[in-house]
Coordinates of all heavy atoms in Angstrom, one line a residue:
A255 N 1.0 31.5 45.9 CA 0.0 31.9 46.9 C -1.4 32.1 46.3 O -2.3 31.6 47.0 CB 0.5 33.4 47.4
Q256 N -1.5 32.4 45.0 CA -2.8 32.4 44.4 C -3.3 31.0 44.3 O -4.6 30.7 44.6 CB -2.8 33.0 43.1 CG -2.5 34.5 43.1 CD -2.5 35.2 41.6 OE1 -1.5 34.8 40.9 NE2 -3.4 35.9 41.3
I257 N -2.4 30.1 43.9 CA -2.9 28.7 43.7 C -3.4 28.2 45.1 O -4.4 27.4 45.2 CB -1.7 27.8 43.2 CG1 -1.4 28.3 41.8 CG2 -2.1 26.3 43.2 CD1 -0.1 27.5 41.1
L258 N -2.6 28.4 46.1 CA -3.0 28.0 47.5 C -4.2 28.6 48.0 O -5.2 27.8 48.3 CB -1.9 28.3 48.4 CG -2.0 27.9 49.9 CD1 -2.1 26.3 50.0 CD2 -0.9 28.6 50.7
F259 N -4.4 30.0 47.9 CA -5.6 30.5 48.6 C -6.7 30.5 47.8 O -7.9 30.6 48.3 CB -5.2 32.0 49.0 CG -4.3 32.2 50.1 CD1 -2.9 32.7 49.8 CD2 -4.4 31.7 51.4 CE1 -2.0 32.7 50.8 CE2 -3.5 31.7 52.3 CZ -2.2 32.2 52.2
K260 N -6.7 30.3 46.5 CA -7.9 30.1 45.6 C -8.2 28.6 45.5 O -9.2 28.2 45.0 CB -7.6 30.5 44.1 CG -7.5 32.0 44.0 CD -7.4 32.4 42.5 CE -7.5 33.9 42.2 NZ -7.3 34.2 40.8
R261 N -7.4 27.7 46.1 CA -7.6 26.3 46.1 C -7.7 25.8 44.7 O -8.6 25.0 44.3 CB -8.9 25.9 47.0 CG -8.8 26.4 48.3 CD -10.0 25.8 49.2 NE -11.3 26.5 48.7 CZ -11.9 27.5 49.2 NH1 -11.2 28.2 50.1 NH2 -13.0 27.9 48.6
L262 N -6.8 26.2 43.9 CA -6.8 25.8 42.5 C -6.3 24.4 42.2 O -5.4 23.9 43.0 CB -6.0 26.7 41.5 CG -6.4 28.2 41.7 CD1 -5.6 29.1 40.7 CD2 -7.9 28.3 41.3
R263 N -6.9 23.7 41.2 CA -6.4 22.4 40.9 C -5.8 22.6 39.4 O -6.5 22.9 38.4 CB -7.4 21.3 40.8 CG -7.0 20.0 40.4 CD -7.9 18.9 40.8 NE -9.3 19.0 40.3 CZ -9.8 18.6 39.2 NH1 -9.0 18.0 38.3 NH2 -11.0 18.6 38.8
I264 N -4.7 22.3 39.2 CA -4.0 22.4 38.0 C -3.6 20.9 37.5 O -2.8 20.2 38.2 CB -2.8 23.3 37.8 CG1 -3.0 24.7 38.4 CG2 -2.0 23.3 36.5 CD1 -1.8 25.5 38.6
E265 N -4.1 20.4 36.4 CA -3.9 19.0 36.0 C -3.6 18.8 34.5 O -4.2 19.5 33.7 CB -5.2 18.3 36.2 CG -4.9 16.7 36.0 CD -6.1 16.0 36.6 OE1 -7.0 16.5 37.4 OE2 -6.2 14.7 36.2
G266 N -2.6 18.2 34.4 CA -2.1 17.9 32.9 C -2.8 16.6 32.4 O -3.1 15.7 33.2
S267 N -3.0 16.6 31.1 CA -3.7 15.4 30.6 C -3.2 15.1 29.2 O -3.1 16.1 28.4 CB -5.2 15.6 30.6 OG -5.9 14.4 30.1
T268 N -3.2 13.8 28.8 CA -2.9 13.5 27.4 C -4.0 12.5 27.1 O -4.7 12.0 28.0 CB -1.6 12.8 27.3 OG1 -1.6 11.6 28.3 CG2 -0.4 13.6 27.7
L269 N -4.1 12.1 25.8 CA -5.0 11.2 25.3 C -4.5 10.0 24.6 O -4.7 8.8 24.9 CB -6.1 11.9 24.3 CG -7.1 11.0 23.7 CD1 -8.1 10.3 24.7 CD2 -8.0 11.8 22.7
R270 N -3.5 10.2 23.8 CA -2.9 9.1 23.0 C -2.2 8.1 23.7 O -2.2 6.9 23.4 CB -1.9 9.8 21.9 CG -1.4 8.9 20.8 CD -0.6 9.6 19.8 NE -0.2 8.8 18.7 CZ 0.7 9.3 17.8 NH1 1.2 10.5 17.8 NH2 1.0 8.5 16.8
S271 N -1.7 8.5 24.9 CA -0.8 7.5 25.8 C -1.9 6.7 26.6 O -1.4 5.8 27.3 CB 0.2 8.2 26.5 OG -0.5 9.1 27.4
R272 N -3.2 7.0 26.6 CA -4.1 6.3 27.5 C -4.4 4.9 27.0 O -4.3 4.7 25.8 CB -5.4 7.1 27.6 CG -5.3 8.6 28.1 CD -5.0 8.6 29.6 NE -5.2 9.9 30.0 CZ -5.4 10.3 31.4 NH1 -5.4 9.4 32.2 NH2 -5.5 11.5 31.7
D273 N -4.8 4.1 27.9 CA -5.1 2.8 27.5 C -6.5 2.7 26.8 O -7.2 3.7 26.8 CB -5.1 1.7 28.7 CG -6.1 2.1 29.7 OD1 -7.2 2.4 29.4 OD2 -5.8 1.9 30.8
L274 N -6.7 1.5 26.1 CA -7.9 1.4 25.2 C -9.3 1.6 26.0 O -10.2 2.2 25.4 CB -7.8 0.0 24.5 CG -8.8 -0.1 23.4 CD1 -8.7 0.9 22.3 CD2 -8.7 -1.5 22.7
E275 N -9.2 1.1 27.3 CA -10.5 1.1 27.9 C -10.8 2.6 28.3 O -11.9 3.0 28.2 CB -10.4 0.3 29.1 CG -10.3 -1.3 28.9 CD -9.2 -1.8 28.2 OE1 -8.1 -1.2 28.4 OE2 -9.2 -2.8 27.5
Y276 N -9.8 3.3 28.6 CA -10.1 4.7 28.9 C -10.6 5.5 27.7 O -11.5 6.3 27.8 CB -8.6 5.3 29.4 CG -8.9 6.9 29.8 CD1 -9.0 7.4 31.1 CD2 -8.6 7.9 28.8 CE1 -9.1 8.6 31.4 CE2 -8.6 9.2 29.1 CZ -8.9 9.6 30.4 OH -9.1 10.9 30.7
Q277 N -9.8 5.3 26.5 CA -10.3 6.0 25.4 C -11.7 5.5 25.0 O -12.5 6.3 24.4 CB -9.3 5.7 24.2 CG -7.9 6.2 24.5 CD -7.0 6.1 23.2 OE1 -7.4 5.5 22.2 NE2 -5.7 6.6 23.3
Q278 N -12.1 4.2 25.2 CA -13.4 3.6 24.7 C -14.4 4.3 25.5 O -15.5 4.8 25.0 CB -13.4 2.2 24.9 CG -14.8 1.6 24.3 CD -15.0 0.1 24.7 OE1 -14.1 -0.4 25.4 NE2 -16.0 -0.4 24.1
A279 N -14.2 4.7 26.9 CA -15.1 5.3 27.6 C -15.5 6.7 27.0 O -16.6 7.2 27.0 CB -14.8 5.3 29.0
L280 N -14.4 7.4 26.5 CA -14.5 8.7 26.0 C -15.2 8.6 24.6 O -16.1 9.5 24.4 CB -13.2 9.5 25.9 CG -12.5 9.8 27.1 CD1 -11.1 10.2 26.8 CD2 -13.3 10.9 27.7
R281 N -14.9 7.6 23.9 CA -15.7 7.4 22.5 C -17.2 7.2 22.8 O -17.9 7.7 22.1 CB -15.1 6.2 21.8 CG -15.7 6.0 20.5 CD -15.8 4.5 20.1 NE -16.7 3.7 20.9 CZ -17.2 2.6 20.7 NH1 -16.8 1.9 19.5 NH2 -18.0 1.9 21.5
D282 N -17.4 6.4 23.8 CA -18.9 6.1 24.1 C -19.6 7.5 24.5 O -20.8 7.7 24.1 CB -19.0 5.1 25.3 CG -18.5 3.6 24.7 OD1 -18.3 3.6 23.6 OD2 -18.3 2.9 25.6
K283 N -18.9 8.3 25.3 CA -19.5 9.6 25.7 C -19.7 10.4 24.5 O -20.8 11.2 24.3 CB -18.7 10.3 26.7 CG -19.4 11.6 27.3 CD -18.7 12.1 28.5 CE -19.4 13.3 29.1 NZ -20.7 13.0 29.6
V284 N -18.8 10.5 23.6 CA -19.0 11.3 22.3 C -20.1 10.6 21.5 O -20.9 11.4 20.9 CB -17.7 11.1 21.5 CG1 -18.0 11.7 20.0 CG2 -16.7 12.0 22.1
V285 N -20.3 9.4 21.3 CA -21.4 8.8 20.7 C -22.6 9.2 21.4 O -23.8 9.6 20.6 CB -21.3 7.2 20.7 CG1 -22.6 6.6 20.1 CG2 -20.2 6.8 19.7
A286 N -22.7 9.1 22.7 CA -24.0 9.5 23.5 C -24.3 11.0 23.4 O -25.5 11.4 23.3 CB -23.9 9.1 24.8
E287 N -23.3 11.9 23.5 CA -23.6 13.3 23.7 C -23.3 14.2 22.5 O -23.8 15.3 22.3 CB -22.5 13.8 24.7 CG -22.6 13.1 26.2 CD -23.9 13.6 27.0 OE1 -24.4 14.5 26.4 OE2 -24.0 13.0 28.1
V288 N -22.6 13.6 21.4 CA -22.2 14.5 20.3 C -22.9 14.1 19.0 O -23.3 14.9 18.2 CB -20.6 14.5 20.1 CG1 -20.3 15.3 19.0 CG2 -20.0 15.1 21.5
L289 N -23.0 12.8 18.8 CA -23.4 12.3 17.4 C -24.7 12.7 16.9 O -24.9 13.2 15.9 CB -23.3 10.7 17.4 CG -22.9 10.1 16.1 CD1 -21.4 10.7 15.7 CD2 -22.9 8.7 16.2
T290 N -25.7 12.8 17.9 CA -27.1 13.2 17.5 C -27.0 14.8 17.1 O -27.7 15.1 16.1 CB -28.0 13.0 18.6 OG1 -28.2 11.6 18.9 CG2 -29.5 13.6 18.2
G291 N -26.2 15.5 17.8 CA -26.1 17.0 17.5 C -25.4 17.1 16.1 O -25.7 18.3 15.4
M292 N -24.4 16.3 15.7 CA -23.9 16.4 14.4 C -24.9 16.0 13.3 O -24.9 16.5 12.3 CB -22.6 15.5 14.3 CG -21.5 16.1 15.2 SD -20.0 15.1 15.0 CE -18.8 16.2 15.9

Side-chain angles (χ1 to χ4, degrees):
Q256 288 178 295
I257 298 172
L258 178 65
F259 292 114
K260 287 185 178 182
R261 302 185 297 267
L262 302 183
R263 176 161 63 86
I264 302 173
E265 185 170 348
S267 184
T268 60
L269 177 60
R270 192 175 184 182
S271 62
R272 302 281 191 165
D273 63 40
L274 188 58
E275 286 68 30
Y276 179 95
Q277 292 189 1
Q278 183 186 10
L280 289 170
R281 182 212 69 166
D282 291 347
K283 187 169 181 63
V284 167
V285 170
E287 301 283 355
V288 175
L289 215 55
T290 300
M292 288 185 174

